[in-house]
Amino acid sequence: MVVAGVVIETVAGAGARVAARLLREPGVELQGGDGARRIAAVLEGRSGETLEALAQRLVDGDDEILGVYPTFVGSDEGGS
């Protein structure tokens, strides 16, 4: 399992609307936001490629999402 902390940047004032839509997204757990345009979230998936595809799908599928920016990435693969 791979997890990534991300900041999701939205158009100005769209943070709450985007957050409401993200609540229905599998593999996305919301952590907080600034109430205006930035949302903190954790993405979870089987691989880094899965997370990249999820982030791209979020950007491509929502005109109010400008970008998904990773802040950390971790994996339990091969861990102790």
Side-chain angles (χ1 to χ4, degrees):
M1 185 65 62
V2 178
V3 296
V6 299
V7 173
I8 300 170
E9 183 83 17
T10 72
V11 298
R17 289 190 304 274
V18 172
R21 291 191 292 270
L22 289 172
L23 289 173
R24 298 185 300 259
E25 285 291 332
V28 178
E29 184 178 322
L30 302 184
Q31 300 298 313
D34 68 1
R37 65 182 307 151
R38 291 179 188 91
I39 301 165
V42 174
L43 306 184
E44 187 175 286
R46 291 179 167 231
S47 67
E49 292 81 12
T50 301
L51 295 185
E52 287 179 32
L54 172 56
Q56 191 63 53
R57 185 170 52 81
L58 293 175
V59 172
D60 292 345
D62 192 322
D63 290 340
E64 292 189 308
I65 295 177
L66 301 175
V68 177
Y69 304 102
T71 59
F72 73 86
V73 178
S75 170
D76 64 2
E77 297 170 12
S80 49

